[in-house]
Amino acid sequence: MMKLVDQVVRSFKVAKVFRENTDKINSIDFSPSGETLISCSEDDQIVIYDCEKGTQMITVNSKKYGVDLIHFTHAKNTAIHSSTKVDDTIRYLSLHDNKYIRYFPGHTKKVVTLCLSPVEDTFLSGSLDKTLRLWDLRSPNCQGLMHLSGRPVAAYDPEGLIFAAGVNSESIKLYDLRSFDKGPFVTFKLNQEKECDWTGLKFSRDGKTMLISTNGSIIRLVDAYHGTPLQTFTGHLNNKGIPIEASFSPDSQYIFSGSTDGRVHVWNADTGYKVCVLNGDHPAPIQCVQFNPKFMMLASACTNMAFWLPTLDDV
């Protein structure tokens, strides 16, 4: 794989646009192999793409329960997602025959964070009911319950040994998965956000930093060991109060974010400087942006899905 440097990042252009959705795409997830991408939309469609061929593979409808926060699970052709209708149950879906394998009931308000362990069949969910729940895909029963003081965001570290919970847009609590019932082993107190809420949390692949995305025009990078603020990324537009996703490149060196003006903004994670703004003619706000974990491609989504590739031949 060619190395990601500023010159390569600036050369990214949209190679393929898909216009299958009639409403905004609210969540995307690459498979760990990078070969496929799954998306879900407010039009209740789940779409799976082949990243190597640049084609759409499967479309599944979730009309009854709606769909948000979709994630591939480790088993082939399966995914979990939160519901937007009926109730706040999390659902485990077999994609090839569009059948539900299992339901995970428990949350009493909208689920706003969902993350899958990178190493095993467990996952975390957090809700506006101010709880964080730990689950095992093999059982409908909640494996662990944490009561929090506010809206949560959550993420597993790359080894799947600890998880982080961002609470109330002001503190990050780290838990050991083997003893989470003892409470967090460390809490980092940050300045409370005045203008916006934390809506996403991700560890860098090297495990050294955490990226906090918001429903405002601000993204924060925090040291994962000490909780010290490292960078604040701004300059992208979010005047709609939507949870715009921010993502790392696989080498943890770059930060990508969508914006309500339909462009992708890129910063250097170490220095904080803006590398470029990529214009892909998105007609609506870009809520989702992720870099492929294995291949040199980027995906961004508004109502359309765009696949980006570098246009430099070799660097």
Side-chain angles (χ1 to χ4, degrees):
M1 180 156 155
M2 72 165 90
K3 191 165 160 35
L4 214 48
V5 292
D6 289 5
Q7 201 180 346
V8 174
V9 173
R10 291 188 188 115
S11 83
F12 268 79
K13 300 267 188 301
V14 174
K16 190 83 194 254
V17 179
F18 303 89
R19 298 183 176 87
E20 306 307 316
N21 292 102
T22 56
D23 207 336
K24 78 171 172 196
I25 294 167
N26 50 25
S27 177
I28 67 175
D29 185 43
F30 281 103
S31 62
S33 70
E35 288 164 15
T36 52
L37 175 73
I38 194 166
S39 72
C40 64
S41 162
E42 292 184 4
D43 65 12
D44 303 327
Q45 285 193 97
I46 297 167
V47 183
I48 301 173
Y49 301 89
D50 182 317
C51 298
E52 293 181 284
K53 296 195 182 92
T55 56
Q56 203 169 316
M57 292 164 66
I58 311 172
T59 301
V60 170
N61 283 302
S62 178
K63 291 285 175 216
K64 185 174 177 184
Y65 301 114
V67 56
D68 197 358
L69 303 177
I70 197 142
H71 289 274
F72 278 121
T73 53
H74 299 299
K76 202 163 168 54
N77 281 323
T78 57
I80 52 170
H81 67 79
S82 63
S83 311
T84 58
K85 303 174 191 175
V86 183
D87 60 21
D88 298 292
T89 296
I90 295 153
R91 303 179 195 277
Y92 182 23
L93 180 63
S94 167
L95 295 159
H96 66 89
D97 54 1
N98 194 14
K99 293 216 168 35
Y100 286 105
I101 301 166
R102 196 161 285 117
Y103 293 161
F104 304 93
H107 285 298
T108 55
K109 289 187 176 164
K110 180 182 162 86
V111 174
V112 290
T113 188
L114 193 61
C115 49
L116 198 77
S117 163
V119 295
E120 57 186 15
D121 285 332
T122 60
F123 66 94
L124 280 165
S125 62
S127 158
L128 296 180
D129 64 17
K130 299 184 184 174
T131 66
L132 200 59
R133 288 174 179 264
L134 185 64
W135 309 86
D136 188 308
L137 280 171
R138 293 159 297 202
S139 162
N141 304 321
C142 179
Q143 308 291 303
L145 176 63
M146 285 133 284
H147 291 275
L148 305 166
S149 61
R151 177 196 179 119
V153 286
Y156 285 88
D157 82 311
E159 270 81 55
L161 297 172
I162 66 168
F163 64 87
V167 185
N168 221 23
S169 307
E170 63 177 348
S171 63
I172 297 175
K173 297 172 183 294
L174 299 186
Y175 295 81
D176 186 320
L177 269 157
R178 290 155 306 197
S179 56
F180 64 86
D181 47 340
K182 294 192 174 70
F185 63 85
V186 67
T187 298
F188 302 136
K189 193 91 174 66
L190 282 80
N191 291 333
Q192 168 109 41
E193 296 296 342
K194 301 274 189 291
E195 310 289 317
C196 56
D197 298 314
W198 293 355
T199 52
L201 181 67
K202 292 179 184 178
F203 277 89
S204 57
R205 197 184 266 189
D206 60 17
K208 291 177 183 167
T209 59
M210 289 183 282
L211 188 63
I212 300 166
S213 47
T214 71
N215 56 10
S217 305
I218 198 157
I219 302 162
R220 300 197 183 278
L221 189 70
V222 175
D223 182 288
Y225 301 113
H226 309 108
T228 34
L230 298 172
Q231 299 293 345
T232 299
F233 306 107
T234 56
H236 59 296
L237 195 65
N238 185 0
N239 54 10
K240 302 247 191 305
I242 58 173
I244 290 181
E245 181 174 33
S247 293
F248 288 100
S249 56
D251 62 8
S252 312
Q253 297 304 300
Y254 293 94
I255 307 295
F256 297 83
S257 169
S259 64
T260 46
D261 65 9
R263 299 186 299 171
V264 174
H265 293 247
V266 192
W267 296 266
N268 181 297
D270 291 332
T271 62
Y273 78 83
K274 174 81 62 85
V275 176
C276 59
V277 180
L278 300 169
N279 196 346
D281 296 323
H282 273 289
I286 299 175
Q287 189 167 321
C288 307
V289 180
Q290 284 182 29
F291 208 95
N292 189 304
K294 292 282 192 288
F295 302 109
M296 192 58 92
M297 75 164 276
L298 182 73
S300 62
C302 61
T303 45
N304 300 342
M305 170 68 76
F307 284 6
W308 304 70
L309 297 171
T311 53
L312 282 185
D313 293 336
D314 52 359
V315 176

mmCIF file with all atom_site columns, all heavy atoms in Angstrom, residues 47 77 92 96 115 199 205 223 242 263 312:
data_model
loop_
_atom_site.group_PDB
_atom_site.id
_atom_site.type_symbol
_atom_site.label_atom_id
_atom_site.label_alt_id
_atom_site.label_comp_id
_atom_site.label_asym_id
_atom_site.label_entity_id
_atom_site.label_seq_id
_atom_site.pdbx_PDB_ins_code
_atom_site.Cartn_x
_atom_site.Cartn_y
_atom_site.Cartn_z
_atom_site.occupancy
_atom_site.B_iso_or_equiv
_atom_site.pdbx_formal_charge
_atom_site.auth_seq_id
_atom_site.auth_comp_id
_atom_site.auth_asym_id
_atom_site.auth_atom_id
_atom_site.pdbx_PDB_model_num
ATOM 1  N N   . VAL A 1 47  ? -27.488 -0.901  2.862  1.00 0.00 ? 47  VAL A N   1
ATOM 2  C CA  . VAL A 1 47  ? -26.838 -1.210  1.585  1.00 0.00 ? 47  VAL A CA  1
ATOM 3  C C   . VAL A 1 47  ? -25.429 -1.722  1.856  1.00 0.00 ? 47  VAL A C   1
ATOM 4  O O   . VAL A 1 47  ? -24.705 -1.148  2.680  1.00 0.00 ? 47  VAL A O   1
ATOM 5  C CB  . VAL A 1 47  ? -26.784 0.020   0.654  1.00 0.00 ? 47  VAL A CB  1
ATOM 6  C CG1 . VAL A 1 47  ? -26.160 -0.341  -0.692 1.00 0.00 ? 47  VAL A CG1 1
ATOM 7  C CG2 . VAL A 1 47  ? -28.182 0.604   0.443  1.00 0.00 ? 47  VAL A CG2 1
ATOM 8  N N   . ASN A 1 77  ? -21.569 -11.824 6.766  1.00 0.00 ? 77  ASN A N   1
ATOM 9  C CA  . ASN A 1 77  ? -22.929 -11.428 6.403  1.00 0.00 ? 77  ASN A CA  1
ATOM 10 C C   . ASN A 1 77  ? -23.868 -11.192 7.578  1.00 0.00 ? 77  ASN A C   1
ATOM 11 O O   . ASN A 1 77  ? -25.062 -11.494 7.506  1.00 0.00 ? 77  ASN A O   1
ATOM 12 C CB  . ASN A 1 77  ? -23.558 -12.477 5.457  1.00 0.00 ? 77  ASN A CB  1
ATOM 13 C CG  . ASN A 1 77  ? -23.064 -12.317 4.040  1.00 0.00 ? 77  ASN A CG  1
ATOM 14 O OD1 . ASN A 1 77  ? -22.858 -11.194 3.580  1.00 0.00 ? 77  ASN A OD1 1
ATOM 15 N ND2 . ASN A 1 77  ? -22.846 -13.421 3.357  1.00 0.00 ? 77  ASN A ND2 1
ATOM 16 N N   . TYR A 1 92  ? -29.804 -7.862  15.749 1.00 0.00 ? 92  TYR A N   1
ATOM 17 C CA  . TYR A 1 92  ? -28.705 -8.644  15.159 1.00 0.00 ? 92  TYR A CA  1
ATOM 18 C C   . TYR A 1 92  ? -29.274 -9.306  13.922 1.00 0.00 ? 92  TYR A C   1
ATOM 19 O O   . TYR A 1 92  ? -30.195 -10.111 14.007 1.00 0.00 ? 92  TYR A O   1
ATOM 20 C CB  . TYR A 1 92  ? -28.238 -9.666  16.198 1.00 0.00 ? 92  TYR A CB  1
ATOM 21 C CG  . TYR A 1 92  ? -27.074 -10.568 15.837 1.00 0.00 ? 92  TYR A CG  1
ATOM 22 C CD1 . TYR A 1 92  ? -26.133 -10.227 14.867 1.00 0.00 ? 92  TYR A CD1 1
ATOM 23 C CD2 . TYR A 1 92  ? -26.907 -11.773 16.529 1.00 0.00 ? 92  TYR A CD2 1
ATOM 24 C CE1 . TYR A 1 92  ? -25.071 -11.065 14.581 1.00 0.00 ? 92  TYR A CE1 1
ATOM 25 C CE2 . TYR A 1 92  ? -25.846 -12.617 16.252 1.00 0.00 ? 92  TYR A CE2 1
ATOM 26 C CZ  . TYR A 1 92  ? -24.928 -12.268 15.281 1.00 0.00 ? 92  TYR A CZ  1
ATOM 27 O OH  . TYR A 1 92  ? -23.874 -13.106 15.010 1.00 0.00 ? 92  TYR A OH  1
ATOM 28 N N   . HIS A 1 96  ? -27.846 -12.074 4.449  1.00 0.00 ? 96  HIS A N   1
ATOM 29 C CA  . HIS A 1 96  ? -28.102 -12.765 3.170  1.00 0.00 ? 96  HIS A CA  1
ATOM 30 C C   . HIS A 1 96  ? -29.557 -13.220 3.049  1.00 0.00 ? 96  HIS A C   1
ATOM 31 O O   . HIS A 1 96  ? -30.082 -13.341 1.959  1.00 0.00 ? 96  HIS A O   1
ATOM 32 C CB  . HIS A 1 96  ? -27.124 -13.925 2.952  1.00 0.00 ? 96  HIS A CB  1
ATOM 33 C CG  . HIS A 1 96  ? -27.267 -15.044 3.927  1.00 0.00 ? 96  HIS A CG  1
ATOM 34 N ND1 . HIS A 1 96  ? -28.117 -16.096 3.728  1.00 0.00 ? 96  HIS A ND1 1
ATOM 35 C CD2 . HIS A 1 96  ? -26.674 -15.260 5.128  1.00 0.00 ? 96  HIS A CD2 1
ATOM 36 C CE1 . HIS A 1 96  ? -28.034 -16.919 4.764  1.00 0.00 ? 96  HIS A CE1 1
ATOM 37 N NE2 . HIS A 1 96  ? -27.173 -16.433 5.625  1.00 0.00 ? 96  HIS A NE2 1
ATOM 38 N N   . CYS A 1 115 ? -20.871 0.055   19.652 1.00 0.00 ? 115 CYS A N   1
ATOM 39 C CA  . CYS A 1 115 ? -19.546 -0.333  19.162 1.00 0.00 ? 115 CYS A CA  1
ATOM 40 C C   . CYS A 1 115 ? -19.290 -1.801  19.455 1.00 0.00 ? 115 CYS A C   1
ATOM 41 O O   . CYS A 1 115 ? -19.735 -2.343  20.466 1.00 0.00 ? 115 CYS A O   1
ATOM 42 C CB  . CYS A 1 115 ? -18.443 0.545   19.738 1.00 0.00 ? 115 CYS A CB  1
ATOM 43 S SG  . CYS A 1 115 ? -18.492 0.763   21.500 1.00 0.00 ? 115 CYS A SG  1
ATOM 44 N N   . THR A 1 199 ? -20.694 13.395  20.240 1.00 0.00 ? 199 THR A N   1
ATOM 45 C CA  . THR A 1 199 ? -21.561 12.423  19.566 1.00 0.00 ? 199 THR A CA  1
ATOM 46 C C   . THR A 1 199 ? -20.796 11.189  19.081 1.00 0.00 ? 199 THR A C   1
ATOM 47 O O   . THR A 1 199 ? -21.403 10.234  18.604 1.00 0.00 ? 199 THR A O   1
ATOM 48 C CB  . THR A 1 199 ? -22.272 13.085  18.366 1.00 0.00 ? 199 THR A CB  1
ATOM 49 O OG1 . THR A 1 199 ? -21.285 13.737  17.539 1.00 0.00 ? 199 THR A OG1 1
ATOM 50 C CG2 . THR A 1 199 ? -23.275 14.126  18.834 1.00 0.00 ? 199 THR A CG2 1
ATOM 51 N N   . ARG A 1 205 ? -5.740  3.694   15.805 1.00 0.00 ? 205 ARG A N   1
ATOM 52 C CA  . ARG A 1 205 ? -5.378  2.289   15.677 1.00 0.00 ? 205 ARG A CA  1
ATOM 53 C C   . ARG A 1 205 ? -4.142  1.929   16.507 1.00 0.00 ? 205 ARG A C   1
ATOM 54 O O   . ARG A 1 205 ? -3.975  0.795   16.934 1.00 0.00 ? 205 ARG A O   1
ATOM 55 C CB  . ARG A 1 205 ? -5.163  1.929   14.206 1.00 0.00 ? 205 ARG A CB  1
ATOM 56 C CG  . ARG A 1 205 ? -5.188  0.420   13.994 1.00 0.00 ? 205 ARG A CG  1
ATOM 57 C CD  . ARG A 1 205 ? -4.886  0.057   12.559 1.00 0.00 ? 205 ARG A CD  1
ATOM 58 N NE  . ARG A 1 205 ? -6.112  -0.084  11.809 1.00 0.00 ? 205 ARG A NE  1
ATOM 59 C CZ  . ARG A 1 205 ? -6.165  -0.555  10.569 1.00 0.00 ? 205 ARG A CZ  1
ATOM 60 N NH1 . ARG A 1 205 ? -5.044  -0.894  9.956  1.00 0.00 ? 205 ARG A NH1 1
ATOM 61 N NH2 . ARG A 1 205 ? -7.298  -0.664  9.947  1.00 0.00 ? 205 ARG A NH2 1
ATOM 62 N N   . ASP A 1 223 ? -5.100  12.614  24.461 1.00 0.00 ? 223 ASP A N   1
ATOM 63 C CA  . ASP A 1 223 ? -4.140  11.547  24.768 1.00 0.00 ? 223 ASP A CA  1
ATOM 64 C C   . ASP A 1 223 ? -4.868  10.429  25.519 1.00 0.00 ? 223 ASP A C   1
ATOM 65 O O   . ASP A 1 223 ? -5.527  10.671  26.525 1.00 0.00 ? 223 ASP A O   1
ATOM 66 C CB  . ASP A 1 223 ? -3.016  12.128  25.640 1.00 0.00 ? 223 ASP A CB  1
ATOM 67 C CG  . ASP A 1 223 ? -1.943  11.101  25.961 1.00 0.00 ? 223 ASP A CG  1
ATOM 68 O OD1 . ASP A 1 223 ? -2.212  10.183  26.762 1.00 0.00 ? 223 ASP A OD1 1
ATOM 69 O OD2 . ASP A 1 223 ? -0.835  11.221  25.411 1.00 0.00 ? 223 ASP A OD2 1
ATOM 70 N N   . ILE A 1 242 ? -25.923 18.356  13.492 1.00 0.00 ? 242 ILE A N   1
ATOM 71 C CA  . ILE A 1 242 ? -25.955 16.906  13.231 1.00 0.00 ? 242 ILE A CA  1
ATOM 72 C C   . ILE A 1 242 ? -24.663 16.251  13.736 1.00 0.00 ? 242 ILE A C   1
ATOM 73 O O   . ILE A 1 242 ? -23.619 16.890  13.808 1.00 0.00 ? 242 ILE A O   1
ATOM 74 C CB  . ILE A 1 242 ? -26.185 16.574  11.728 1.00 0.00 ? 242 ILE A CB  1
ATOM 75 C CG1 . ILE A 1 242 ? -25.102 17.197  10.843 1.00 0.00 ? 242 ILE A CG1 1
ATOM 76 C CG2 . ILE A 1 242 ? -27.567 17.017  11.283 1.00 0.00 ? 242 ILE A CG2 1
ATOM 77 C CD1 . ILE A 1 242 ? -25.181 16.781  9.396  1.00 0.00 ? 242 ILE A CD1 1
ATOM 78 N N   . ARG A 1 263 ? -18.394 18.983  1.976  1.00 0.00 ? 263 ARG A N   1
ATOM 79 C CA  . ARG A 1 263 ? -16.981 18.730  1.666  1.00 0.00 ? 263 ARG A CA  1
ATOM 80 C C   . ARG A 1 263 ? -16.330 17.934  2.785  1.00 0.00 ? 263 ARG A C   1
ATOM 81 O O   . ARG A 1 263 ? -16.825 17.902  3.914  1.00 0.00 ? 263 ARG A O   1
ATOM 82 C CB  . ARG A 1 263 ? -16.244 20.063  1.457  1.00 0.00 ? 263 ARG A CB  1
ATOM 83 C CG  . ARG A 1 263 ? -16.829 20.862  0.299  1.00 0.00 ? 263 ARG A CG  1
ATOM 84 C CD  . ARG A 1 263 ? -16.034 22.115  -0.011 1.00 0.00 ? 263 ARG A CD  1
ATOM 85 N NE  . ARG A 1 263 ? -15.994 23.036  1.108  1.00 0.00 ? 263 ARG A NE  1
ATOM 86 C CZ  . ARG A 1 263 ? -15.224 24.123  1.143  1.00 0.00 ? 263 ARG A CZ  1
ATOM 87 N NH1 . ARG A 1 263 ? -14.443 24.415  0.120  1.00 0.00 ? 263 ARG A NH1 1
ATOM 88 N NH2 . ARG A 1 263 ? -15.227 24.923  2.193  1.00 0.00 ? 263 ARG A NH2 1
ATOM 89 N N   . LEU A 1 312 ? -2.766  10.226  -7.556 1.00 0.00 ? 312 LEU A N   1
ATOM 90 C CA  . LEU A 1 312 ? -1.324  10.214  -7.842 1.00 0.00 ? 312 LEU A CA  1
ATOM 91 C C   . LEU A 1 312 ? -0.930  8.793   -8.221 1.00 0.00 ? 312 LEU A C   1
ATOM 92 O O   . LEU A 1 312 ? -1.300  7.845   -7.526 1.00 0.00 ? 312 LEU A O   1
ATOM 93 C CB  . LEU A 1 312 ? -0.545  10.620  -6.581 1.00 0.00 ? 312 LEU A CB  1
ATOM 94 C CG  . LEU A 1 312 ? -0.467  12.082  -6.215 1.00 0.00 ? 312 LEU A CG  1
ATOM 95 C CD1 . LEU A 1 312 ? 0.442   12.261  -5.020 1.00 0.00 ? 312 LEU A CD1 1
ATOM 96 C CD2 . LEU A 1 312 ? 0.066   12.916  -7.382 1.00 0.00 ? 312 LEU A CD2 1
#
